[in-house]
Amino acid sequence: MTPEQKRNNRRMGLTLASIALLFFIGFIVRMVWIGH
């Protein structure tokens, strides 16, 4: 595995992680919104 591939993998991992985090936060906000 080349350093270039490692960098691309890390960038993709961070992108996927931030998307998952956004979905998770949105889900919590919606639950709180519906709860009130």
Side-chain angles (χ1 to χ4, degrees):
M1 195 182 246
T2 66
E4 182 70 25
Q5 283 175 322
K6 281 184 184 173
R7 194 158 60 237
N8 286 342
N9 282 353
R10 184 163 44 223
R11 188 185 299 135
M12 190 193 279
L14 284 172
T15 304
L16 289 175
S18 38
I19 289 172
L21 193 64
L22 283 174
F23 268 99
F24 188 62
I25 291 172
F27 181 73
I28 290 175
V29 167
R30 192 163 48 198
M31 288 314 249
V32 169
W33 205 263
I34 291 172
H36 279 295

